[in-house]
Amino acid sequence: MSTPQMTETMRRPASLYWGVQIARALSAAGAVALIASAVGLSIRRYQVDGTSLNFAGPAFGFLMLVLVALAVVAALGVRSANKTLADDTGARDRLFGFGAAAVVLLVILTVKLANLGYDVAAVIAGLWAVASAASLALISTSESSRWLEGRAPILNVIRWIRGNIIGFLGLLVMAYLYIPNVVVAAMSFNIEHGKKTTYQWYGFGFDNWLHVCKPAQMCSSVVTSLWIGAVATLIATVIGTLAAFALVRHRFVGRSASNTILFMPMATPEIVMGTSLLAFFVALRQGGHLGYVTIIIAHVAFCLSYVVVTVKARLAGFDDTLQEAAMDLYANETETFWRVTFPLVFPGILGASLLAFSLSFDDYIITNLNAGTVTTFPIFVWGAALRGLPMQVNVIGTVMFVLAIAIVVSGELLSSRRRKA
């Protein structure tokens, strides 16, 4: 005697049933294979030497992360297959999306393995791709869609991609921007080996952090860059803020020309600006006296534009009625500025100063042309790279990156607290 569950199973389209079964088997086998690959490579990582992958370093860690992530996705594919057999339309769509991504990756892997001469592995990957494509075709038939009372899975996947494409691209951009910083942070723990291969991993240790000033002149160059950056930032922030207020709040002859002139340093190539400033100092008979003063003047010249633009953007969204309300309450112009205007504009001024400091600290081309015998941190890095970059440079880069992140996070936390208050 047949039960209702058996009757319902018998009515389920065979294409859906077998397509899901194939997809589940492939997903389970893929998860096992990926975990086995991660374990096998982990066992062999110290036995592989002289390879471009550098199994003991950050590249190996990234490879392990990718393998584990793909294994998790394969496990999610098994789960989606089980839910699809329970007549879950959304699970069928997720299964189709996972399968489509797997087919694309398997095709790329097949071509790559074939080019490398691994014919057997290429055949296995190709057959896996064909089996995956066949399972997708089976679960996408019209009978399967009618049974699950949904549209074709490809349409749902396309709709999901269209709805999340901006977020996905944003994640790719963030990964593109921050992966180099992660590599620098990882290499700051690399054991110094004395070779010119800068980003070859030799072993994990804290020696670079404990002896940051071991390379000659490195710490002194960092102090020089910090000092020059602080002075140039202070001068550029004061002048740029005053200029931004003048350009936004007042109408005067030459206002449009002033905007254009202030924008030009941002659009001028650094090599052109550096040589122009050098020619200017030579014309003033200062060519033999290049040093701290000329570097600060040069840094103020190119940081000023960024400060003006940043503060102007903050002032453009400023509500003038707040100042009028303060003055209606018998506050004079000085009190209105310091108690109303300045606190509201201060985030823009702070952002402009941080931008100016980062540009000043990081600059090499303009500084090198106008530094004379002064050695800043970028100049030290360039000179050291010709001989073999010391690992302590990565420590300085990591510290600066962490400080920048801490400042941004602190600002966001303070802003959120003000909004809640």
Side-chain angles (χ1 to χ4, degrees):
M1 181 176 180
S2 61
T3 63
Q5 185 176 3
M6 292 175 59
T7 304
E8 183 180 358
T9 303
M10 292 173 62
R11 290 202 308 266
R12 181 183 292 119
S15 59
L16 176 63
Y17 177 78
W18 288 110
V20 172
Q21 293 290 2
I22 295 173
R24 180 165 60 178
L26 292 174
S27 299
V32 173
L34 290 167
I35 294 298
S37 299
V39 173
L41 290 175
S42 298
I43 295 174
R44 293 188 64 243
R45 62 176 177 172
Y46 293 115
Q47 300 175 359
V48 178
D49 188 23
T51 63
S52 59
L53 185 58
N54 190 10
F55 275 70
F60 174 79
F62 180 73
L63 176 62
M64 292 299 100
L65 181 63
V66 171
L67 291 177
V68 172
L70 292 176
V72 171
V73 172
L76 292 176
V78 175
R79 181 184 179 188
S80 298
N82 293 332
K83 288 189 175 182
T84 302
L85 290 177
D87 299 335
D88 187 339
T89 304
R92 192 271 303 263
D93 295 337
R94 290 191 296 272
L95 181 62
F96 186 89
F98 292 146
V103 170
V104 173
L105 292 176
L106 286 168
V107 170
I108 296 174
L109 181 62
T110 302
V111 175
K112 185 66 175 178
L113 291 173
N115 292 334
L116 293 175
Y118 300 110
D119 297 333
V120 176
V123 171
I124 294 175
L127 293 176
W128 206 308
V130 172
S132 300
S135 67
L136 295 181
L138 290 173
I139 66 175
S140 304
T141 60
S142 56
E143 292 82 2
S144 300
S145 298
R146 283 197 300 269
W147 173 260
L148 294 173
E149 298 180 354
R151 298 187 301 177
I154 184 63
L155 299 178
N156 294 325
V157 171
I158 291 175
R159 183 176 61 178
W160 181 87
I161 293 175
R162 290 175 58 185
N164 296 275
I165 187 66
I166 300 300
F168 180 71
L169 292 176
L171 290 176
L172 288 179
V173 171
M174 295 297 290
Y176 177 78
L177 292 175
Y178 284 102
I179 283 178
N181 295 290
V182 174
V183 173
V184 169
M187 296 305 296
S188 68
F189 297 97
N190 189 16
I191 295 177
E192 187 75 35
H193 199 269
K195 293 184 179 181
K196 271 195 171 185
T197 306
T198 305
Y199 287 100
Q200 178 74 25
W201 185 266
Y202 299 108
F204 183 88
F206 293 96
D207 187 67
N208 298 326
W209 288 83
L210 298 175
H211 304 91
V212 179
C213 296
K214 182 179 179 181
Q217 295 187 337
M218 194 187 77
C219 284
S220 61
S221 67
V222 173
V223 173
T224 300
S225 290
L226 291 173
W227 184 82
I228 292 174
V231 175
T233 297
L234 179 61
I235 298 173
T237 301
V238 173
I239 298 176
T241 300
L242 295 176
F245 270 95
L247 292 171
V248 173
R249 297 292 181 87
H250 302 282
R251 299 291 183 269
F252 53 89
V253 178
R255 180 170 175 268
S256 299
S258 300
N259 277 315
T260 304
I261 292 174
L262 286 170
F263 180 77
M264 285 180 63
M266 298 175 62
T268 304
E270 286 193 351
I271 186 65
V272 175
M273 189 171 183
T275 52
S276 300
L277 287 167
L278 178 59
F280 172 73
F281 294 136
V282 172
L284 293 178
R285 300 182 184 276
Q286 297 297 317
H289 302 282
L290 299 177
Y292 290 99
V293 175
T294 54
I295 294 176
I296 291 173
I297 293 174
H299 284 204
V300 170
F302 69 78
C303 288
L304 189 61
S305 301
Y306 293 93
V307 174
V308 173
V309 171
T310 305
V311 178
K312 276 181 62 179
R314 183 70 178 181
L315 290 172
F318 187 81
D319 189 0
D320 293 333
T321 58
L322 297 175
Q323 296 182 116
E324 296 172 0
M327 299 187 74
D328 288 341
L329 296 173
Y330 304 103
N332 57 36
E333 292 184 356
T334 303
E335 292 176 334
T336 301
F337 176 81
W338 289 111
R339 297 194 176 190
V340 177
T341 306
F342 184 76
L344 294 174
V345 180
F346 179 72
I349 298 175
L350 179 61
S353 63
L354 292 175
L355 177 61
F357 180 81
S358 63
L359 291 171
S360 175
F361 185 86
D362 183 62
D363 183 75
Y364 169 76
I365 297 177
I366 296 176
T367 305
N368 189 44
L369 290 169
N370 299 277
T373 58
V374 176
T375 301
T376 61
F377 184 61
I379 293 177
F380 169 82
V381 172
W382 173 256
L386 301 177
R387 302 183 300 271
L389 200 63
M391 290 294 102
Q392 286 80 357
V393 170
N394 297 300
V395 176
I396 301 300
T398 302
V399 171
M400 297 300 295
F401 176 71
V402 171
L403 287 177
I405 295 296
I407 292 173
V408 172
V409 172
S410 300
E412 289 295 325
L413 292 176
L414 291 175
S415 300
S416 63
R417 288 183 179 179
R418 290 196 191 99
R419 287 193 296 266
K420 290 179 180 179

